Amino acid sequence: METVRFDELQLDERIFRAVTDMGFEAASPIQAQAIPVQMEGRDVVGQAQTGTGKTAAFGIPLLQKIDPNSKKLQAIALCPTRELAIQVADEVRRLAKYMHGIKVLPIYGGQDIVRQIRGLKDGTQIVIGTPGRVMDHMRRKTIRCEHIHTVIMDEADEMLNMGFLEDMETILSQLPQERQTVMFSATMPMEIQNIAKRFQKDPVTVKVVKKELTVPKVTQYYYEVKPKTKVEVMCRLLDMYAPKLSIAFCNTKRQVDELVQDLQGRGYFAEGLHGDLKQMQRDRVMSSFRSGATEILVATDVAARGIDVDDVEAVFNYDIPQDDEYYVHRIGRTGRAGKDGIAFSLVVGKEVYKLRDIQRYCKTKIIPQAIPSLDDITAIKAEKIMEQVMDLINDTDLTKMVNIIEKKVLEEEECTTLDVAAALLKLAMGEENEDIIDCSRPARSLDDLDRYGRDGRGGRGRGGRDGRYGRDGRGSRDGRYGRDGRYDRDEEEDMARLFVNIGKSQNVRPGDILGAVAGESGISGKMVGSIDMYDNYTFVDVPREYADAVLRAMKDVKIKGKNVHMEKANGRGR
Ligand code: AMP
């Protein structure tokens, strides 16, 4: 697959800088196709699901068109849920980091309309909203359409599922004729095709055409992990399988650097490889990897291309790839030259649906595995040490050591040679950590995700909206701040999602929210589920039965000196 770099896309220099800051190495396949046609001003139907980089695929060309000097509303993006609207607004703001004067406002039901109106009057050029609330504002004339030149429908099929078809049609028919209409949808049901026919002009369809690929014969496992325990799980797998050479893949340069630091910090011989490195550095890393001095090579897809090392024993998908084809390329790095290979994928939250799609596309089997427990790791470490011990006993003269121990045991009445042996083993094994991962959770098969699919559409790789494990209309649930040892996410059906109007921009940390919720309501901090934090908002999961009590307790509470408002996060965003 050909790589398109962001510097080939003739982007505004400020957007290019923002993308570089975000650590993106190259355009994702859908971005490579969609960005140039949108920049030509064409209407576009983009067929892509979450996780493919679709937000930036429409966000970048959108920003290219916005005039920061005009304080008029110039573009609307429609999203099915409040949470998606907030996420999209967040990503667009990150892309607009260096474009001063651009204001992006998410609007959705449930939020105080007066505040939204104030925001809209404040020179907002881009509104990201749920259809119901956008219509409300159009009726009130607090959203004026005259200067809108771009409209985007994100997850159009999901808006259809949620009953927003009419609202979408109403909104589209009120916008100026002279405009660009861009639609992204994972699937193309009839109603969505009709919208394209009625409201778009000669649209270009972009989707990633899938090639027939030969999937290498590699054993493939996957593990469901939480963001905070990813590194720990990777280390356990490294300890358990002890591959001599392995490659770990990340989606961004930034993640490569972070993982390398984490692994080195834990004493692993890891080095990173990505596009920011000079040729000399690359050569140094590669020769160190070839010689075995570096055991783990951490790389982006682009940087790993062209690496030709035969005896890689394991591949880690530390991040799930943005494209199915990348998966095949990645795992093909191992199992070469007739040797056995093994591939481990770490999935967080909704990414499991992406992996299910990959399994389907590749016609392969990705086997679920429970995360090895610390006891497993301890047993394996002990076994390895005992093997070395037996070799020493068989091959070397231990007379001196035997004498030392004999003397000690004679001196200390309470101490046997067995005690000494056990203590030495403990010393050799190093620190034992507290087990922070719940390893008892059964691994679930990717095929079962389909079986439990609610609408039988499967294959769309959407967030958990369509599965047994889904929580309706919640958009992303990758639980960036999901914390371990807390309420198990499998019980998330019993969790209610609460919304707080405060976030990272107010210098609030997840711990502050956790402290306030637990402190004020009296529920144990352990019962609080994931805390997803955005610039100005946070979503918190609490057990459903306590949701009302938490809301009552949080009335008139201040967090970090700021008055906060908390309410139930209803998905529809009306
Ligand atoms: P989306 O499909 O828009 O939900 O994006 C999924 C994730 O991929 C987001 O965290 C994006 O910031 C990230 N992303 C988008 N484009 C790229 C890219 N070209 N390279 C690496 N990560 C990306």
Side-chain angles (χ1 to χ4, degrees), residues 9 33-45 57-58 60-62 64-65 149-152 177-183 199-204 206:
L9 289 173
Q33 289 189 60
I35 292 174
V37 266
Q38 280 172 88
M39 279 170 57
E40 280 171 27
R42 297 286 302 267
D43 283 1
V44 167
V45 174
F58 62 73
I60 290 172
L62 168 67
Q64 295 266 138
K65 283 180 73 185
H149 53 59
T150 310
V151 59
I152 290 154
Q177 286 290 318
E178 214 31 59
R179 59 154 203 265
Q180 186 178 23
T181 309
V182 173
M183 179 157 79
F199 295 101
Q200 290 190 302
K201 288 189 205 95
D202 189 20
V204 184
V206 292

Side-chain angles (χ1 to χ4, degrees), residues 120-182:
L120 284 165
K121 280 199 180 135
D122 201 20
T124 293
Q125 294 104 339
I126 305 172
V127 155
I128 319 259
T130 50
R133 193 43 85 92
V134 167
M135 264 197 354
D136 275 357
H137 281 286
M138 283 168 73
R139 249 184 263 125
R140 289 164 184 254
K141 302 255 187 299
T142 38
I143 283 186
R144 309 194 68 94
C145 301
E146 304 90 82
H147 298 278
I148 293 180
H149 53 59
T150 310
V151 59
I152 290 154
M153 284 164 280
D154 188 16
E155 303 202 354
D157 53 351
E158 200 58 30
M159 290 200 273
L160 172 74
N161 283 349
M162 298 185 74
F164 283 136
L165 182 63
E166 262 180 53
D167 293 0
M168 287 194 307
E169 290 172 342
T170 311
I171 293 168
L172 288 167
S173 53
Q174 290 183 22
L175 297 177
Q177 286 290 318
E178 214 31 59
R179 59 154 203 265
Q180 186 178 23
T181 309
V182 173

Side-chain angles (χ1 to χ4, degrees), residues 183-254:
M183 179 157 79
F184 272 79
S185 198
T187 58
M188 279 296 174
M190 217 43 220
E191 294 90 332
I192 295 301
Q193 294 180 35
N194 286 339
I195 289 228
K197 266 196 218 116
R198 266 184 69 194
F199 295 101
Q200 290 190 302
K201 288 189 205 95
D202 189 20
V204 184
T205 299
V206 292
K207 62 177 172 190
V208 180
V209 181
K210 296 182 172 176
K211 278 191 261 164
E212 274 297 316
L213 284 173
T214 327
V215 179
K217 285 199 176 39
V218 169
T219 310
Q220 300 154 63
Y221 292 127
Y222 89 88
Y223 301 82
E224 288 196 70
V225 301
K226 299 182 184 186
K228 253 196 148 173
T229 55
K230 259 179 143 178
V231 179
E232 168 71 20
V233 172
M234 167 138 179
C235 292
R236 285 189 191 182
L237 294 173
L238 284 167
D239 290 348
M240 180 137 168
Y241 290 90
K244 269 202 214 64
L245 293 185
S246 45
I247 305 183
F249 285 93
C250 299
N251 288 351
T252 62
K253 295 183 270 197
R254 207 193 266 176

Side-chain angles (χ1 to χ4, degrees), residues 6 22-28 31 49-56 87 91 94 251-252 322 350:
F6 280 102
M22 287 159 92
F24 298 176
E25 175 106 286
S28 71
Q31 288 164 354
Q49 67 200 26
T50 310
T52 54
K54 70 178 167 63
T55 313
Q87 265 178 45
E91 177 113 338
R94 280 199 285 159
N251 288 351
T252 62
Q322 287 188 310
K350 63 176 177 169

Side-chain angles (χ1 to χ4, degrees), residues 305-421:
R305 212 161 290 175
I307 294 180
D308 199 18
V309 179
D310 266 344
D311 32 15
V312 173
E313 292 180 2
V315 162
F316 289 84
N317 291 309
Y318 190 76
D319 290 328
I320 298 300
Q322 287 188 310
D323 186 84
D324 305 347
E325 222 173 283
Y326 287 174
Y327 180 86
V328 180
H329 287 303
R330 286 180 180 189
I331 68 169
R333 299 285 162 182
T334 177
R336 289 183 170 200
K339 299 198 179 108
D340 286 338
I342 190 162
F344 306 100
S345 298
L346 308 185
V347 306
V348 174
K350 63 176 177 169
E351 286 173 354
V352 72
Y353 292 89
K354 208 153 85 182
L355 200 67
R356 178 210 32 207
D357 282 5
I358 289 173
Q359 169 174 282
R360 188 174 295 169
Y361 157 65
C362 300
K363 298 193 190 69
T364 181
K365 198 82 207 151
I366 310 175
I367 305 156
Q369 288 268 75
I371 297 166
S373 70
L374 269 193
D375 284 345
D376 296 338
I377 302 299
T378 308
I380 283 171
K381 271 194 194 163
E383 200 175 311
K384 286 203 181 117
I385 293 170
M386 292 313 280
E387 265 172 33
Q388 290 173 325
V389 167
M390 291 319 288
D391 286 349
L392 279 179
I393 292 175
N394 290 332
D395 303 341
T396 53
D397 179 8
L398 296 172
T399 319
K400 258 195 219 159
M401 286 74 196
V402 169
N403 290 340
I404 295 173
I405 289 175
E406 215 164 34
K407 189 162 164 258
K408 193 77 202 161
V409 173
L410 279 174
E411 279 167 18
E412 307 276 338
E413 270 178 29
E414 299 288 302
C415 173
T416 65
T417 41
L418 189 59
D419 292 335
V420 175

